[in-house]
Amino acid sequence: MPDRHLFISDLHIDCSRPDIVTGFFQFLDENKNNCNALYILGDLFEVWIGDDTVSDVELKVSEKLCEFSKCGPSVYIMHGNRDFLIGNDYAKRCGATILEDHHIISTGDENLLLLHGDTLCTDDAEYQQFRTLVRNKSWQEEFLSKTVEERRNFAQEARDKSKSETSLKSDSIMDVNQEEVLKLFQKYHVSKILHGHTHRPAIHELKVKSKKLSTQTVQRIVLGDWDERGWWAELYNNRLSLKSFALSND
Ligand code: LP5
Ligand code: MN
């Protein structure tokens, strides 16, 4: 088995995009026998309102991920800003483990920090306020105690509000804050950070001062969202690359 780890994020799966589901399932079939692990770095689903109301497509995804994991690879799910309510019940159905946002993996003599990416968007004060509210445990318990219909309505209202507000926000507000990025490199002493959320796939190189005050070149790799293309990153023999394939509409 090669030392191969795969990373995806922001598939935003729901029943309106069968092309994304098909592309995802093909991706799983192609990789089930030749990787050690799949890391899903948030927003696998368009929206998640609780493990007790699983739709047909969400059920199919769990069955496919479970089949994938039974072939050998470990599956890890990190929460995104749309599906932070995925719980252990659903993860278990997928044969997956939920990962804390901000997770470090070792790659030979370097370390790689994984995160969804929304925590880096600190200029977006309204979003950060919303995030603090909905990531609060008691808020979540109260939300999950509502009926499915009530939760669905709240989620729809939040999506509508988010769509109208993001259409008015500038691109720079919705991107990562550079100081926050530098702080993260220094805090975790990693040479690479991999995240999604901003939907701006790229590999950025930047210079940071290390503990010994020497300057080190580090990388921030950003996964793309699955829309016209399916984006993924591969860590193979300690080399990290960003890849994509066309999602077909037929
Ligand atoms: O998601 P996206 O790409 O549109 O934009 C995100 C940020 N928006 C969000 C909000 C989610 O889209 C909402 C869906 C989450 C569903 C979770 C299930 C249950 C929760 C129910 C909550 C009541 O994450 C957006 C960022 C953008 O990324 C870029 O980083 O800018 O942030 C916002 O738009 C935040 C807004 O400024 C406010 C968010 C809406 C809050 C509305 C709550 C009203 C609901 C009624 C409750 C009384
Ligand atoms: Mn996101």
Side-chain angles (χ1 to χ4, degrees), residues 47-48 81-82 124 126-127 154 159 162 165 169 197:
V47 74
W48 194 267
N81 56 300
R82 308 280 193 90
D124 194 343
E126 277 132 9
Y127 170 66
F154 277 128
R159 286 295 304 124
S162 185
E165 292 197 9
K169 288 180 196 173
H197 182 68

Side-chain angles (χ1 to χ4, degrees), residues 154-200:
F154 277 128
Q156 187 58 52
E157 211 176 310
R159 286 295 304 124
D160 291 346
K161 192 144 193 263
S162 185
K163 279 182 201 160
S164 65
E165 292 197 9
T166 50
S167 71
L168 301 172
K169 288 180 196 173
S170 72
D171 279 356
S172 67
I173 279 187
M174 290 190 288
D175 202 356
V176 300
N177 173 291
Q178 288 305 329
E179 279 169 33
E180 209 57 37
V181 170
L182 290 177
K183 267 200 248 165
L184 216 53
F185 276 111
Q186 274 153 351
K187 177 173 177 194
Y188 289 99
H189 308 296
V190 291
S191 56
K192 290 185 176 72
I193 289 180
L194 174 62
H195 68 85
H197 182 68
T198 58
H199 305 178
R200 300 170 204 220

Side-chain angles (χ1 to χ4, degrees), residues 29-90:
D29 284 337
E30 279 160 24
N31 291 296
K32 63 185 176 192
N33 293 316
N34 56 24
C35 70
N36 309 68
L38 171 69
Y39 292 83
I40 303 169
L41 300 183
D43 290 354
L44 173 61
F45 295 109
E46 174 72 359
V47 74
W48 194 267
I49 57 167
D51 287 8
D52 56 336
T53 167
V54 176
S55 69
D56 289 351
V57 69
E58 290 157 359
L59 188 64
K60 275 192 201 137
V61 167
S62 66
E63 287 165 357
K64 193 76 189 177
L65 278 171
C66 189
E67 177 200 316
F68 175 84
S69 72
K70 283 190 175 142
C71 294
S74 305
V75 177
Y76 299 102
I77 298 178
M78 188 179 274
H79 289 145
N81 56 300
R82 308 280 193 90
D83 58 10
F84 55 86
L85 289 173
I86 292 180
N88 287 324
D89 283 357
Y90 185 73

Side-chain angles (χ1 to χ4, degrees), residues 2-238:
D3 190 19
R4 190 165 173 265
H5 298 250
L6 307 179
F7 307 87
I8 55 175
S9 71
D10 303 283
L11 285 79
H12 297 151
I13 288 174
D14 75 359
C15 60
S16 72
R17 291 295 302 265
D19 55 327
I20 295 178
V21 178
T22 305
F24 179 42
F25 287 4
Q26 275 165 5
F27 175 80
L28 293 176
D29 284 337
E30 279 160 24
N31 291 296
K32 63 185 176 192
N33 293 316
N34 56 24
C35 70
N36 309 68
L38 171 69
Y39 292 83
I40 303 169
L41 300 183
D43 290 354
L44 173 61
F45 295 109
E46 174 72 359
V47 74
W48 194 267
I49 57 167
D51 287 8
D52 56 336
T53 167
V54 176
S55 69
D56 289 351
V57 69
E58 290 157 359
L59 188 64
K60 275 192 201 137
V61 167
S62 66
E63 287 165 357
K64 193 76 189 177
L65 278 171
C66 189
E67 177 200 316
F68 175 84
S69 72
K70 283 190 175 142
C71 294
S74 305
V75 177
Y76 299 102
I77 298 178
M78 188 179 274
H79 289 145
N81 56 300
R82 308 280 193 90
D83 58 10
F84 55 86
L85 289 173
I86 292 180
N88 287 324
D89 283 357
Y90 185 73
K92 208 170 159 196
R93 281 182 194 235
C94 301
T97 306
I98 294 185
L99 273 193
E100 285 298 309
D101 197 338
H102 290 54
H103 178 83
I104 296 183
I105 58 173
S106 295
T107 70
D109 50 3
E110 291 182 305
N111 286 330
L112 167 66
L113 176 66
L114 307 174
L115 62 156
H116 178 56
D118 54 332
T119 50
L120 291 171
C121 302
T122 52
D123 295 330
D124 194 343
E126 277 132 9
Y127 170 66
Q128 294 302 334
Q129 220 179 331
F130 172 73
R131 188 181 193 282
T132 305
L133 173 76
V134 298
R135 297 305 180 98
N136 176 281
K137 210 164 172 282
S138 353
W139 184 92
Q140 293 190 356
E141 277 166 8
E142 202 192 319
F143 182 79
L144 290 171
S145 72
K146 294 181 191 301
T147 66
V148 170
E149 200 194 346
E150 281 173 317
R151 279 180 269 161
R152 206 169 275 141
N153 291 340
F154 277 128
Q156 187 58 52
E157 211 176 310
R159 286 295 304 124
D160 291 346
K161 192 144 193 263
S162 185
K163 279 182 201 160
S164 65
E165 292 197 9
T166 50
S167 71
L168 301 172
K169 288 180 196 173
S170 72
D171 279 356
S172 67
I173 279 187
M174 290 190 288
D175 202 356
V176 300
N177 173 291
Q178 288 305 329
E179 279 169 33
E180 209 57 37
V181 170
L182 290 177
K183 267 200 248 165
L184 216 53
F185 276 111
Q186 274 153 351
K187 177 173 177 194
Y188 289 99
H189 308 296
V190 291
S191 56
K192 290 185 176 72
I193 289 180
L194 174 62
H195 68 85
H197 182 68
T198 58
H199 305 178
R200 300 170 204 220
I203 299 182
H204 302 275
E205 293 217 327
L206 53 158
K207 299 208 184 299
V208 292
K209 287 236 162 62
S210 73
K211 261 199 285 192
K212 292 168 200 153
L213 290 178
S214 58
T215 304
Q216 193 196 356
T217 303
V218 294
Q219 283 184 333
R220 177 172 69 90
I221 301 99
V222 189
L223 289 160
D225 59 315
W226 289 40
D227 188 10
E228 282 169 18
R229 304 187 70 77
W231 289 89
W232 55 292
E234 175 189 63
L235 180 65
Y236 185 40
N237 288 338
N238 300 328

